[in-house]
Amino acid sequence: MKITLKDGSVKEYAESKSVYDIALDISEGLARAACCAKVNGEVVDLRTIIDSDCELAICTASDKEGLSTIRHTASHVLAEAVKNLFPDAKLTIGPSIDTGFYYDFEHAPFSREDLDALEAEMKKIIKEGARLEKFTLPREEAIKFMEERDEPYKVELIRDLPEDAEISFYRQGEFVDLCAGPHLMSTKGVKAFKLTSSSMAYWRGKSENAMLQRIYGTAFSKKEELEEYLEYWENVKNRDHNKLGREMELFTTVDVIGQGLPLLMPKGAKMIQTMQRWIEDEEEKRGYLRTKTPLMAKSDLYKISGHWDHYLDGMFVLGDEKKDKEVLALRPMTCPFQYYVYKATQHSYRDLPLRYGETSTLFRNEDSGEMHGLTRVRQFTISEGHLIVRPDQMIQEFKDCLALAKYCLTVLGVEEDVTYHLSKWDPNNREKYIGEPEVWEETEQHIREILTELDINFVEDVGEAAFYGPKVDINARNVYGKEDTMITIQWDALLAEQFDMYFIDQNGDKVRPYIIHRTSMGCYERTLAWLIEKYEGKFPTWLCPEQVRVLPISEKFADYAAKVEAELKANGILATVDNRSEKIGFKIREARLAKLPYMLVVGQKEEEENLVSVRSRFAGDEGQKTLDAFIDQLCKEIRTKEIRKEVVQEEAKK
């Protein structure tokens, strides 16, 4: 047989060989470094037998597949350590992920002390260097094998497999786990690892299932790589909006109020107010009409829209249909409300498009395990809009919605941080969607052509569409690498029928309009979280809840500081005065720690000549300026929403 290697060279063998033996034949060094391989593009175990011509690429830790294999093996070492120290724990799943690996257990919560003990146990297992051996069993024998080991979750996984399946396991010493692989040849291949955290998770990700405990970890082939990663991870944790936002007093949460119900503190509320006013003004310039609709409605409304059938689990329902005459639900969206705004008046083809915008507070019953800070909450506010358009207007209006979204991203300075997704229906899951296949195929093709014409790179995601239509999702990753949808633009050719919406065309006939569901900037809370992490709390000046702090050198200049503050506020600038009896150096350091854009130091000369000494986050000491000149400069920066780049100076490093 002929084996074509990734450098194009060819190896010929007269008999079958394992991938590991081929690596050994190439060089002992490669065999020692090998983690897994790709055969004709498919990732396989080093134990895989090659018995025909193929293309073979040996993967080491420098390849993503090789690093993933190290981490997968580390997850098995973790599982063995847990069973050694906590024999009553039940095993579930333990995959490798982009940042390392995790394993879920049915067990009481793990403390940091538990993780430290598990790390020590893992080191013992790795030092023993047990070989990982793969074996298979028929399905029924595999079920019995795991039942004897009292591993009910493994039994459930096996029962979900076809009856004729051969079930694969890996053994390392006395420990055995259900697994498809690939894995390293021995546990000694896990050279450097760290257990980073633990959290709650649900079996198979569903809140109605058992609550599990997830242990996260990471692993590398070299200690230096691990140390570099842990340093990076520490920086990530410091940028986490859930930590930084609380430290900056932007938001907080309280147990007695509830999970997923954050309290925006004055600074955070001011930032969201600033964004909201900007968005509402921008939408008005683009022809949007404001609406204000109820926060709840009878179940009848959601039954017409289809949300009662397709989204009930995500709604907060007030009442019981079996006992109460009237059942209400908090709204998870605004669309059906705005449809009735449209239906209140008969419309001609000349009236369209009608663009309705609303700053909408919505409610969604998120699983407790999914909620995090401001990114996944149960009550949130979005820049929601619904465009009622003639079919011939749909493509241009959809393009304009994309243009508005891109404008918002550009102003916020995050346009380079997003990815575009065409979220499509899944024809194999018909129960999830309304409408006929040809409607879905046609609308998806329209969006595909729009994105291509606008030269927007995008990926296609099957099964991510709304139940009534395909959409463009604009996504961004948080500091931990998790992707969240920030902006959505949906094409809807179906719901107008369900709500009996129409317009009168040129011939006097009733015609169904199309609808675009869209957000211009998305969820305000999630966007605030994004900006906290993006800027590490050092926001563009126009967004800052405190833009200038006036610092009098001593109490003698308090009156002048108050005069400066009043002038700033009169010009719409968010300013405060630090009147504490502290040295000026201390006040400056405090203002820097607060990540303020500007500090104005005032003393005798400044008071006598109506000056201010300007210090900024961007350039350090900017020298003395007249108060009027500074105000003009700052008002222009705020008005244009300029994002000034920071210049790190030696003074700022002190």
Side-chain angles (χ1 to χ4, degrees):
M1 59 182 177
K2 294 182 179 180
I3 309 297
T4 304
L5 304 176
K6 62 181 177 182
D7 65 358
S9 62
V10 177
K11 286 276 190 180
E12 294 192 35
Y13 299 100
E15 70 287 331
S16 301
K17 280 186 174 292
S18 71
V19 172
Y20 179 79
D21 287 337
I22 295 172
L24 190 61
D25 184 53
I26 296 171
S27 80
E28 289 187 8
L30 179 61
R32 283 194 301 271
C35 300
C36 64
K38 289 195 289 185
V39 176
N40 295 328
E42 180 183 352
V43 180
V44 300
D45 199 289
L46 294 174
R47 301 157 188 78
T48 301
I49 301 300
I50 306 295
D51 56 9
S52 60
D53 295 353
C54 68
E55 294 182 356
L56 174 66
I58 308 295
C59 300
T60 67
S62 61
D63 302 299
K64 66 177 183 179
E65 297 86 357
L67 184 57
S68 177
T69 301
I70 291 173
R71 290 168 170 176
H72 194 182
T73 301
S75 79
H76 277 225
V77 174
L78 167 60
E80 181 180 355
V82 168
K83 293 297 285 187
N84 288 349
L85 298 187
F86 307 99
D88 292 336
K90 304 303 179 191
L91 304 174
T92 64
I93 58 171
S96 65
I97 55 177
D98 289 345
T99 57
F101 61 90
Y102 70 80
Y103 209 114
D104 289 347
F105 305 91
E106 184 188 272
H107 190 264
F110 294 98
S111 66
R112 183 65 246 182
E113 290 73 20
D114 292 333
L115 299 189
D116 293 341
L118 287 167
E119 283 185 0
E121 184 67 17
M122 288 174 70
K123 289 176 182 177
K124 291 180 185 177
I125 294 168
I126 292 167
K127 186 175 181 180
E128 289 168 0
R131 292 186 64 79
L132 279 88
E133 300 170 347
K134 183 178 181 180
F135 66 93
T136 62
L137 292 173
R139 183 173 175 273
E140 290 306 312
E141 289 185 32
I143 290 172
K144 183 179 179 182
F145 182 75
M146 279 300 172
E147 284 178 339
E148 290 172 349
R149 289 176 170 262
D150 193 20
E151 297 292 355
Y153 296 96
K154 300 293 185 182
V155 171
E156 182 178 330
L157 291 171
I158 297 169
R159 290 190 187 280
D160 287 345
L161 298 173
E163 291 187 7
D164 59 351
E166 281 285 322
I167 314 299
S168 65
F169 296 85
Y170 279 82
R171 184 192 306 277
Q172 56 198 52
E174 296 299 316
F175 177 76
V176 179
D177 204 352
L178 171 73
C179 188
H183 280 289
L184 301 176
M185 298 299 285
S186 89
T187 59
K188 279 192 174 179
V190 182
K191 304 290 187 184
F193 73 93
K194 179 71 177 176
L195 299 183
T196 53
S197 64
S198 64
S199 66
M200 185 272 291
Y202 289 112
W203 171 233
R204 294 189 158 180
K206 296 181 178 179
S207 59
E208 63 267 26
N209 291 342
M211 187 183 294
L212 307 173
Q213 299 302 318
R214 175 172 295 177
I215 297 179
Y216 284 100
T218 193
F220 293 87
S221 63
K222 297 178 182 177
K223 183 179 179 182
E224 296 77 16
E225 292 174 339
L226 174 64
E227 290 174 348
E228 182 179 332
Y229 173 81
L230 293 176
E231 183 178 343
Y232 159 79
W233 193 251
E234 193 61 33
N235 178 54
V236 162
K237 288 192 290 185
N238 289 332
R239 288 174 53 207
D240 182 348
H241 83 276
N242 212 10
K243 176 178 183 290
L244 190 53
R246 294 170 196 271
E247 291 174 352
M248 295 183 70
E249 298 181 355
L250 299 176
F251 76 97
T252 188
T253 53
V254 183
D255 287 343
V256 296
I257 291 175
Q259 192 178 10
L261 299 170
L263 301 176
L264 289 169
M265 300 174 74
K267 292 178 183 178
K270 172 52 83 172
M271 290 186 69
I272 285 185
Q273 181 191 57
T274 299
M275 288 190 282
Q276 180 179 327
R277 288 175 174 173
W278 161 55
I279 290 295
E280 290 179 351
D281 289 347
E282 185 60 38
E283 288 181 343
E284 189 170 338
K285 292 176 189 175
R286 298 177 188 237
Y288 282 80
L289 305 172
R290 307 307 301 173
T291 66
K292 188 172 178 59
T293 56
L295 299 180
M296 65 182 75
K298 292 161 59 177
S299 59
D300 306 53
L301 178 71
Y302 305 114
K303 289 174 181 176
I304 296 171
S305 69
H307 289 93
W308 202 257
D309 292 329
H310 295 274
Y311 201 78
L312 185 59
D313 289 345
M315 296 168 65
F316 288 102
V317 178
L318 310 176
D320 186 336
E321 287 192 305
K322 295 179 181 179
K323 297 185 297 183
D324 302 317
K325 290 182 179 180
E326 188 172 87
V327 173
L328 300 170
L330 298 177
R331 64 181 186 185
M333 77 306 293
T334 309
C335 37
F337 297 85
Q338 291 191 331
Y339 299 162
Y340 280 99
V341 173
Y342 176 83
K343 282 167 62 69
T345 307
Q346 182 167 286
H347 297 282
S348 156
Y349 70 95
R350 295 187 184 90
D351 299 328
L352 303 186
L354 278 171
R355 307 180 188 98
Y356 295 124
E358 183 166 339
T359 303
S360 308
T361 297
L362 305 179
F363 306 86
R364 295 185 183 172
N365 191 9
E366 299 282 1
D367 289 340
S368 59
E370 292 293 319
M371 287 182 286
H372 175 72
L374 297 177
T375 58
R376 186 77 66 172
V377 292
R378 286 177 168 158
Q379 176 183 311
F380 55 95
T381 302
I382 66 173
S383 56
E384 193 167 22
H386 295 88
L387 290 76
I388 318 300
V389 307
R390 302 192 310 261
D392 64 288
Q393 298 169 326
M394 187 68 165
I395 289 176
Q396 185 57 51
E397 290 295 320
F398 202 93
K399 289 179 182 177
D400 290 346
C401 289
L402 279 166
L404 174 57
K406 292 189 78 171
Y407 165 78
C408 293
L409 294 170
T410 300
V411 171
L412 292 172
V414 294
E415 70 278 7
E416 300 298 324
D417 303 334
V418 300
T419 55
Y420 289 78
H421 298 250
L422 167 51
S423 296
K424 307 189 297 183
W425 81 316
D426 181 357
N428 297 317
N429 187 9
R430 291 290 282 116
E431 292 183 0
K432 181 180 175 182
Y433 307 96
I434 62 174
E436 298 304 316
E438 51 269 23
V439 175
W440 284 92
E441 290 166 9
E442 179 184 351
T443 53
E444 287 174 0
Q445 182 59 24
H446 281 310
I447 296 176
R448 191 178 290 112
E449 290 173 356
I450 289 170
L451 292 170
T452 302
E453 180 186 335
L454 296 176
D455 198 26
I456 295 173
N457 294 324
F458 65 97
V459 296
E460 300 192 12
D461 298 330
V462 174
E464 295 299 318
F467 69 84
Y468 49 78
K471 56 182 176 170
V472 173
D473 284 325
I474 303 176
N475 295 355
R477 293 185 182 275
N478 65 18
V479 290
Y480 296 105
K482 184 180 182 299
E483 195 168 72
D484 290 306
T485 297
M486 308 309 296
I487 296 173
T488 293
I489 305 168
Q490 301 175 351
W491 184 302
D492 177 6
L494 298 170
L495 286 183
E497 177 79 28
Q498 292 185 223
F499 281 89
D500 191 28
M501 298 167 66
Y502 63 87
F503 64 91
I504 305 300
D505 72 3
Q506 299 93 318
N507 302 317
D509 296 327
K510 292 182 177 181
V511 179
R512 299 293 183 203
Y514 282 178
I515 302 167
I516 299 174
H517 309 239
R518 47 100 278 183
T519 55
S520 49
M521 188 196 65
C523 168
Y524 286 97
E525 290 85 354
R526 185 174 289 181
T527 300
L528 178 56
W530 187 15
L531 295 173
I532 292 169
E533 295 182 354
K534 163 76 175 180
Y535 291 106
E536 299 182 52
K538 299 175 184 177
F539 306 110
T541 303
W542 73 275
L543 270 176
C544 285
E546 183 183 359
Q547 294 161 335
V548 179
R549 187 175 294 178
V550 185
L551 310 178
I553 291 176
S554 72
E555 294 179 3
K556 291 189 297 183
F557 307 105
D559 289 344
Y560 181 61
K563 176 188 172 185
V564 170
E565 179 193 27
E567 283 291 315
L568 293 168
K569 287 183 173 179
N571 284 274
I573 296 167
L574 301 175
T576 62
V577 176
D578 186 347
N579 274 322
R580 293 176 297 170
S581 300
E582 301 283 356
K583 292 183 178 179
I584 190 64
F586 178 83
K587 292 181 180 182
I588 291 172
R589 286 193 297 275
E590 288 280 291
R592 282 183 186 147
L593 290 173
K595 307 178 190 295
L596 299 182
Y598 292 96
M599 298 166 267
L600 301 183
V601 179
V602 294
Q604 183 174 343
K605 183 177 181 181
E606 286 81 11
E607 182 175 23
E608 290 173 351
E609 301 180 23
N610 201 35
L611 299 172
V612 288
S613 292
V614 182
R615 291 173 178 265
S616 76
R617 198 180 65 211
F618 315 104
D621 189 348
E622 295 191 16
Q624 289 182 327
K625 299 179 182 181
T626 65
L627 180 56
D628 287 344
F630 174 75
I631 288 174
D632 288 345
Q633 167 201 322
L634 187 51
C635 286
K636 180 182 178 183
E637 182 182 335
I638 294 169
R639 184 178 66 254
T640 60
K641 298 178 175 57
E642 178 185 357
I643 300 177
R644 288 190 68 182
K645 301 298 182 184
E646 292 191 30
V647 179
V648 179
Q649 298 187 343
E650 288 305 312
E651 182 182 7
K653 293 179 181 178
K654 294 178 183 177

